[in-house]
Amino acid sequence: MRAALREAERAAREDEVPVGAVVVRHGRIIARAHNRPLHLNDPTAHAEVLALRQAARRTGNYRLNGCTLYVTIEPCAMCAGAMVHARIQRLVFGSREPKAGAVGSALRVLNHPKLNHRVEVVRGVLAAESASLLHEFFDRRRSEARPRLPDE
Ligand SMILES: [Zn+2]
């Protein structure tokens, strides 16, 4: 999760929403990625999707059986769906995402009763660090967007 947090910090430095992800297999990191939709002009370029693509390329298999995906924030519906397609074994995430989280907060895509693949879920790992990166990012964005008064 520390490695995922470092990825999230890289996203923040690139003015992308700070979310980072890594994929681990047999105790080794085989992929690491951060959010890049702005830079890639790609609405699907979430940290999780980029990490899954990298892991699948590296292993030469689109099925990532036995892999764990670590991500700093609860995944959205798209990313949760991609994890099911990849047959990820375990998801470890940091902070919950009440507005769009698809692992139980806003929706339940992962481990939906209609889907046959089950993913083991661990929540709340380094949640405070993950959330504070997001809050700092949005605070900074809001203060930059706010028009300056003449005496500021
Ligand atoms: Zn996503």
Side-chain angles (χ1 to χ4, degrees), residues 19 35 43-49 74-80:
V19 182
N35 228 14
T44 71
H46 288 187
E48 301 95 310
V49 167
E74 179 180 353
C76 72
M78 171 184 73
C79 293

Short mmCIF file of all heavy atoms in Angstrom, two decimals, residues 19 35 43-49 74-80, ligand 1:
data_model
loop_
_atom_site.label_atom_id
_atom_site.label_comp_id
_atom_site.label_asym_id
_atom_site.label_seq_id
_atom_site.Cartn_x
_atom_site.Cartn_y
_atom_site.Cartn_z
N VAL A 19 -4.75 9.05 -7.12
CA VAL A 19 -5.08 7.66 -6.83
C VAL A 19 -3.93 6.81 -7.38
O VAL A 19 -3.48 7.06 -8.51
CB VAL A 19 -6.41 7.23 -7.48
CG1 VAL A 19 -6.74 5.77 -7.13
CG2 VAL A 19 -7.56 8.14 -7.07
N ASN A 35 -3.39 7.42 -11.56
CA ASN A 35 -4.45 8.01 -12.37
C ASN A 35 -3.88 8.90 -13.47
O ASN A 35 -3.05 9.76 -13.18
CB ASN A 35 -5.25 8.90 -11.40
CG ASN A 35 -6.70 8.68 -11.50
OD1 ASN A 35 -7.18 7.72 -12.07
ND2 ASN A 35 -7.45 9.60 -10.92
N PRO A 43 -10.67 8.54 -20.66
CA PRO A 43 -11.52 8.45 -19.46
C PRO A 43 -11.36 7.13 -18.71
O PRO A 43 -11.78 7.03 -17.56
CB PRO A 43 -12.95 8.59 -20.02
CG PRO A 43 -12.84 8.24 -21.46
CD PRO A 43 -11.45 8.61 -21.90
N THR A 44 -10.77 6.13 -19.34
CA THR A 44 -10.60 4.84 -18.66
C THR A 44 -9.24 4.71 -17.98
O THR A 44 -8.93 3.67 -17.41
CB THR A 44 -10.77 3.65 -19.63
OG1 THR A 44 -9.64 3.59 -20.51
CG2 THR A 44 -12.05 3.74 -20.43
N ALA A 45 -8.42 5.78 -18.02
CA ALA A 45 -7.05 5.67 -17.51
C ALA A 45 -6.98 5.84 -15.99
O ALA A 45 -6.18 6.61 -15.46
CB ALA A 45 -6.13 6.66 -18.21
N HIS A 46 -7.82 5.12 -15.28
CA HIS A 46 -7.75 5.10 -13.81
C HIS A 46 -6.56 4.24 -13.40
O HIS A 46 -6.16 3.32 -14.13
CB HIS A 46 -9.04 4.51 -13.22
CG HIS A 46 -10.22 5.43 -13.34
ND1 HIS A 46 -11.43 5.18 -12.75
CD2 HIS A 46 -10.34 6.61 -13.99
CE1 HIS A 46 -12.27 6.18 -13.03
NE2 HIS A 46 -11.63 7.05 -13.78
N ALA A 47 -6.03 4.52 -12.21
CA ALA A 47 -4.85 3.80 -11.71
C ALA A 47 -5.04 2.28 -11.79
O ALA A 47 -4.14 1.55 -12.22
CB ALA A 47 -4.59 4.22 -10.27
N GLU A 48 -6.21 1.82 -11.39
CA GLU A 48 -6.45 0.37 -11.34
C GLU A 48 -6.40 -0.24 -12.73
O GLU A 48 -5.79 -1.30 -12.94
CB GLU A 48 -7.83 0.07 -10.72
CG GLU A 48 -8.04 0.59 -9.33
CD GLU A 48 -8.73 1.94 -9.31
OE1 GLU A 48 -8.29 2.86 -10.03
OE2 GLU A 48 -9.71 2.10 -8.57
N VAL A 49 -7.06 0.42 -13.69
CA VAL A 49 -7.10 -0.12 -15.06
C VAL A 49 -5.69 -0.15 -15.64
O VAL A 49 -5.28 -1.16 -16.24
CB VAL A 49 -8.06 0.71 -15.96
CG1 VAL A 49 -7.88 0.36 -17.43
CG2 VAL A 49 -9.51 0.46 -15.53
N GLU A 74 -11.27 3.46 -2.73
CA GLU A 74 -12.24 2.45 -3.17
C GLU A 74 -12.52 2.59 -4.67
O GLU A 74 -12.81 3.68 -5.15
CB GLU A 74 -13.54 2.65 -2.38
CG GLU A 74 -14.64 1.67 -2.76
CD GLU A 74 -15.91 1.90 -1.95
OE1 GLU A 74 -15.90 2.73 -1.01
OE2 GLU A 74 -16.91 1.25 -2.28
N PRO A 75 -12.42 1.51 -5.41
CA PRO A 75 -12.59 1.56 -6.88
C PRO A 75 -14.01 1.95 -7.32
O PRO A 75 -14.99 1.68 -6.63
CB PRO A 75 -12.30 0.12 -7.32
CG PRO A 75 -11.53 -0.49 -6.21
CD PRO A 75 -12.00 0.17 -4.96
N CYS A 76 -14.07 2.55 -8.52
CA CYS A 76 -15.35 2.90 -9.14
C CYS A 76 -15.92 1.66 -9.83
O CYS A 76 -15.29 0.60 -9.86
CB CYS A 76 -15.16 4.04 -10.14
SG CYS A 76 -14.30 3.53 -11.65
N ALA A 77 -17.09 1.82 -10.44
CA ALA A 77 -17.77 0.70 -11.09
C ALA A 77 -16.93 0.13 -12.24
O ALA A 77 -16.83 -1.09 -12.41
CB ALA A 77 -19.14 1.13 -11.59
N MET A 78 -16.32 1.01 -13.03
CA MET A 78 -15.51 0.55 -14.15
C MET A 78 -14.34 -0.31 -13.66
O MET A 78 -14.08 -1.39 -14.19
CB MET A 78 -14.97 1.75 -14.94
CG MET A 78 -13.95 1.37 -16.01
SD MET A 78 -13.27 2.82 -16.84
CE MET A 78 -12.21 3.50 -15.56
N CYS A 79 -13.64 0.18 -12.66
CA CYS A 79 -12.45 -0.53 -12.17
C CYS A 79 -12.85 -1.83 -11.46
O CYS A 79 -12.17 -2.84 -11.61
CB CYS A 79 -11.65 0.38 -11.25
SG CYS A 79 -10.92 1.76 -12.16
N ALA A 80 -13.94 -1.80 -10.71
CA ALA A 80 -14.40 -3.02 -10.06
C ALA A 80 -14.76 -4.05 -11.12
O ALA A 80 -14.43 -5.24 -11.00
CB ALA A 80 -15.59 -2.72 -9.15
ZN ZN B 1 -11.96 3.65 -11.51
#
